[in-house]
Amino acid sequence: MKLNIDGLLVYFPYDYIYPEQYSYMLELKRTLDAKGHGVLEMPSGTGKTISLLSLIVAYQKAYPLEVTKLVYCSRTVPEIEKVVEELRKLMDYYTKQTGAKNDFLALALSSRKNLCIHPEVSSLRFGKEVDGKCHSLTASYIRAQHHSNPSQPVCQFYEEFDTVGRQVPIPPGIYNLDDLKDFGRRKGWCPYFLARYAILHANIVVYSYHYLLDPKIADLVSKELAKKSVVVFDEAHNIDNVCIDSMSVNITRRTLDRCQTNVETLQNTISRIKETDAAKLREEYRRLVEGLKEANVARETDIYLSNPVLPDEILQEAVPGSIRTAEHFVGFMKRFLEYLKARLRIHHVVQESAPQFLKDIFEKVCIDRKPLRFCAERLRSLLRTLEIADIADFSAITLISHFATLVSTYSKGFTIIIEPFEDKTPTIANPVLHFSCMDPSIAIKPVFGRFQSVIITSGTLSPLDIYPRILDFRPVTVASFTMTLARTCLCPLIVGRGNDQVAMTSKFETREDFAVIRNYGNLLLEMSAIVPDGIVAFFTSYMYMENIVASWYEQGILENIQRNKLIFIETQDAAETSMALEKYQEACENGRGAILLSVARGKVSEGIDFVHHFGRAVIMFGVPYVYTQSRILKARLEYLRDQFQIRENDFLTFDAMRHAAQCVGRAIRGKTDYGLMIFADKRYARADKRGKLPRWIQEHLTDGSLNLTIDETVQLSKHFLRQMAQPFRREDQLGLSLLTLEQLQSEDMLQKIAQIAHQA
Amino acid sequence: MDDQGCPRCKTTKYRNPSLKLMVNVCGHTLCESCVDMLFVRGSGNCVQCNTPLRKSNFRVQLFEDPAIDKEVEIRKKVLKIYNKREFDFSTLKEYNDYLEQVEDIVFNLTNNVDVERTKQIMEQYQRDNRDIIQKNKAKLTREQEELEELLLQEQQDSEQRRLETLQEEKRQLQAKRKNKQALLDKLESSKLPAAVLLAQHKDRAAQLETQIEKQKQNVKPTNIFSTGIMMGQTVSLASVSRVEEALYVYQPLYIDTYGPPVPELDQLGRQGYLNHVRTASPQDQAGGYSSGLACHRAIQDAFSGLFPL
């Protein structure tokens, strides 16, 4: 179907379109026109991905000078593959309609582990091993050694790519990870380096968040992306946590021990090199005296994405004299390391700010702030000079050097917490130094600063105004779209009481209360009797789930449930969980019916969809608050309050509700799908919680569905399920929630569409 | 740390948890009891390297590696003498060379390379730069100053925050109590039915809540001084460079009237012009009016433009 979006010709690869998709594209077009950032919320299963792709591709074709590249960031490899498939569909449609040959290059990028075709390396199991092995075959000095000594092994795929691959551009087309591998095998080129090289001139790049947000990786992969790119973060409801994780550092005793061996290796290598090849060290020394000028020139000409770990001052200055020679630097690292060791030898929790830490380190071991700031850069230069092959080996000392640079660069937004033991096991000494980032805007700032449009989108972004605040940017469009439905296929219910009128809640005080646990059990039992096929139940934590299931077993509730349905449980072990999931789906498939007990914030709640009969009902037992006693969280809450004027409670509720919404949203994956959403906690009925649910759920939450008892819930559900079970054809949807081109162009429909976007 | 022990009496931390290891200038460890025993007379030789040591120089070992303890000790001594700051140098390069030189000295002393010569260099330097060393003793480096400033600010912030929240809570509590009291009073005195009064009370309580909410949201970020300077931004204390500019000179206004010269205001009376003008009444004069003003203006009007161009 060819659409006219605000004067832009958009090819849409399907014959029908949802009204909200049209509205979404309108909003998106406005954002691109304004060259600003946008926050867009649209329910899952309404075709976000294809709307995004078809509009941005059309925009790229119409204004090739305005938008040169689309960078699509998703979270997991399966999601990346899904996006590429949609893209392939779109491009096929283009060729069919216009008849012209496709001249677009789109490709997915993932880690070496997913792209390597070297027979030995690719058989390794862990990502880190693959990276290390690959590096030991492709590093520049290894290859130089290979020239003089052909017995030194190198990767023939990389060699092949390096000699011819860069001159011959990869032919236009759509490449997912497997396509890249095939192409690599055919040509004998390394697909990973090919992809990394090709993203520079590709029109569309699909990869994971980390390639943009994690400063260590972004520096390698994404720093040369053009300024006129559009960046899309899909499923971005957790983006703040990704940002924070990418800037935080945790140091344990083991890290320090490994670091110690690293330092020793460095020292030995230096003394060895000094005897054999002193010129090399002298060359490095000369370069450092002149300063890190190369990087500076590149940044000035605006070629690179700036790196939050490498602040601007460093580029303008030369390395301080005290760490210029290799021996002095190793001595410096030794002192820093011993200092950290001494700090970890404590018996009580310490929390301090970066300036306090810096003052203490100066008093104890005479380390100034300035050399600390250059630590990461200096270490990198040294490793390069010493030509150490296995970089993975040096991860410990690299981590420490990053910590040194961060702690001396940022005086705000970070906190240092040293805990002598874990909260759960106070008798076992396991000291950890958390250097925790509290401000997600630090990591994402370069992205917002560099690219002309950044789109943050997900099914659950409510309340919308909080994201611009915590990420510290100014969006031009903030909108939430609802789902237009031919029939109300979602039925949110808030169950507040059991049949005995005891309030149902996962509040801490009543957690152990038998009446509450029994009521939760009764609810599940009753639902298992009336809901067909699959039910997914979410608990607030693994511990809570274990407790409840144990007492259900004692009370005999489990036995009763098992008469109706089989029960599967998610555990912390990924292999076990995927086994449970597989069996759960099998049980749903063959009509036996099953219940999956899982945990909010777990693997199931984030990445697994329960379409159609795999999830006819989702029950959310309790409000999934985070563990509020953790010191890191407390520090972050305090920071949010002081810097962004977001109160603790607001943020905690926001965080709990976005996870609750994410959990219940697993059941509805499209308009023909239907499902019950049961919130089993009386606190959901309060206005402050209810108001933070996404608008597309809130709309269907009437006063009649608040604070129900189990009996009432069963009645309402029965009614709902019977209605939904009636045959539902495409014709029923046409004209209401599914439009043909003619219907779309009618006057009153356009008016309706204008109301879908809810400007926040 | 667990497997560390005294090299002389072989006691380990595991066997004696209260074991205290000491280290002296040579960088070799001894436990506290051995120190007490060997150095009863206040001085003696190191068991391992035979360096003459004093008992008073023994320190508790802070780090796992005693070499670091030794280095830090030496470094502190060296830095007391080599205490030049960045602004004592004209270029950054010189400063960096100086830093490297200091580092070399520390390195030599800790690793026993050319100790005698290095000591000589140090003494030479100390003699040459006596006054600078004295002067810089009291001064902190710029970075340390910044750190101190940040710490101070942090303290102030947290204190202020604490006070604010305390006050806020107090105020809220008072407002609520007042509201409750008002309800009781009304129930006592008013003629309206209790249900209505209760409803009113509920409304008011809700209003109060929303007000509090609003106030909370209105809290302004306190990151700007009253002078408009951002907190955390360091203000350079260097004097502002002088701007050289020509000063403004007043030039009296000259208007060509194209007429005969008009007599000055104070000459009007003498030349008899005022005889034909109405004299100002006392009321007029109170406001600063004089008959000369009107007359002067009238004459200006009359004279201007009399000559042809």
Side-chain angles (χ1 to χ4, degrees), chain B residues 233-290:
Chain B
Q233 183 187 352
T234 43
V235 183
S236 86
L237 296 173
S239 58
V240 181
S241 61
R242 243 176 96 170
V243 184
E244 294 291 337
E245 253 183 315
L247 291 177
Y248 176 71
V249 183
Y250 174 69
Q251 244 126 42
L253 187 68
Y254 173 76
I255 299 168
D256 199 356
T257 57
Y258 303 108
V262 180
E264 291 299 309
L265 195 60
D266 45 350
Q267 289 173 353
L268 286 178
R270 245 174 289 145
Q271 295 180 2
Y273 285 101
L274 288 185
N275 300 345
H276 312 285
V277 183
R278 180 173 63 90
T279 50
S281 67
Q283 284 94 335
D284 296 334
Q285 278 169 344
Y289 174 82
S290 72

Side-chain angles (χ1 to χ4, degrees), chain A residues 406-426:
Chain A
L406 283 172
V407 79
S408 49
T409 307
Y410 295 98
S411 57
K412 262 186 180 171
F414 287 87
T415 189
I416 297 163
I417 297 172
I418 310 175
E419 289 179 317
F421 44 75
E422 279 176 38
D423 274 347
K424 283 178 202 155
T425 53

Side-chain angles (χ1 to χ4, degrees), chain A residues 208-222 242-243 245-248 305 307-309 402 443-444 447:
Chain A
S208 142
Y209 281 7
H210 298 280
Y211 288 100
L212 265 186
L213 293 181
D214 195 327
K216 290 151 241 159
I217 314 176
D219 211 35
L220 284 178
V221 179
S222 308
V242 177
C243 291
D245 286 346
S246 72
M247 295 291 279
S248 298
L305 180 72
N307 180 353
V309 182
H402 276 298
I444 206 169
V447 178

Side-chain angles (χ1 to χ4, degrees), chain A residues 94-226:
Chain A
Y94 260 102
T95 33
K96 214 163 54 184
Q97 289 294 313
T98 54
K101 233 183 131 270
N102 177 25
D103 56 348
F104 252 54
L105 175 61
L107 54 92
L109 176 63
S110 183
S111 63
R112 287 185 176 88
K113 185 175 172 291
N114 293 323
L115 278 175
C116 184
I117 54 171
H118 190 276
E120 269 172 52
V121 181
S122 59
S123 61
L124 293 171
R125 272 191 63 204
F126 297 105
K128 253 198 190 142
E129 286 175 3
V130 176
D131 290 353
K133 186 82 184 156
C134 178
H135 192 84
S136 70
L137 291 177
T138 56
S140 54
Y141 43 86
I142 296 282
R143 295 175 53 227
Q145 278 172 25
H146 176 73
H147 263 292
S148 53
N149 173 20
S151 64
Q152 176 88 22
V154 289
C155 174
Q156 77 269 19
F157 296 103
Y158 182 77
E159 294 299 320
E160 193 70 19
F161 166 69
D162 198 53
T163 40
V164 282
R166 285 184 218 274
Q167 281 87 40
V168 189
I170 176 169
I174 315 295
Y175 297 89
N176 64 14
L177 298 180
D178 284 334
D179 296 338
L180 279 173
K181 273 194 194 169
D182 282 345
F183 184 77
R185 278 208 192 90
R186 259 205 325 277
K187 295 264 184 182
W189 295 349
C190 172
Y192 174 75
F193 284 98
L194 175 70
R196 252 179 64 176
Y197 175 69
I199 62 171
L200 296 181
H201 53 262
N203 301 86
I204 299 173
V205 183
V206 186
Y207 58 30
S208 142
Y209 281 7
H210 298 280
Y211 288 100
L212 265 186
L213 293 181
D214 195 327
K216 290 151 241 159
I217 314 176
D219 211 35
L220 284 178
V221 179
S222 308
K223 66 177 175 184
E224 290 176 43
L225 292 184

Side-chain angles (χ1 to χ4, degrees), chain A residues 253 285 320-322 324-325 328 335 338 345 353 356 359 362-366 370 642 647, chain B residues 1 62-65 68 71-72 75-76 96-97 100 103-104 143-144 148 151 154 161 213:
Chain A
R253 183 67 216 193
Y285 174 78
S322 47
R324 235 162 23 188
T325 65
H328 294 170
R335 259 180 300 146
E338 286 297 328
R345 237 181 7 239
S353 63
Q356 277 167 327
K359 194 176 170 204
F362 180 76
E363 279 165 6
K364 290 268 167 62
V365 287
C366 308
K370 202 165 152 197
D642 296 343
R647 280 179 300 150
Chain B
M1 194 71 188
L62 269 177
F63 305 103
E64 257 170 55
D65 187 355
I68 301 287
E71 193 193 328
V72 169
R75 186 177 291 272
K76 277 183 179 159
N96 277 334
D97 290 342
E100 193 181 335
E103 206 67 27
D104 267 332
E143 283 174 358
Q144 280 162 321
E148 292 290 330
L151 281 177
E154 232 169 64
R161 226 177 294 136
E213 290 278 300

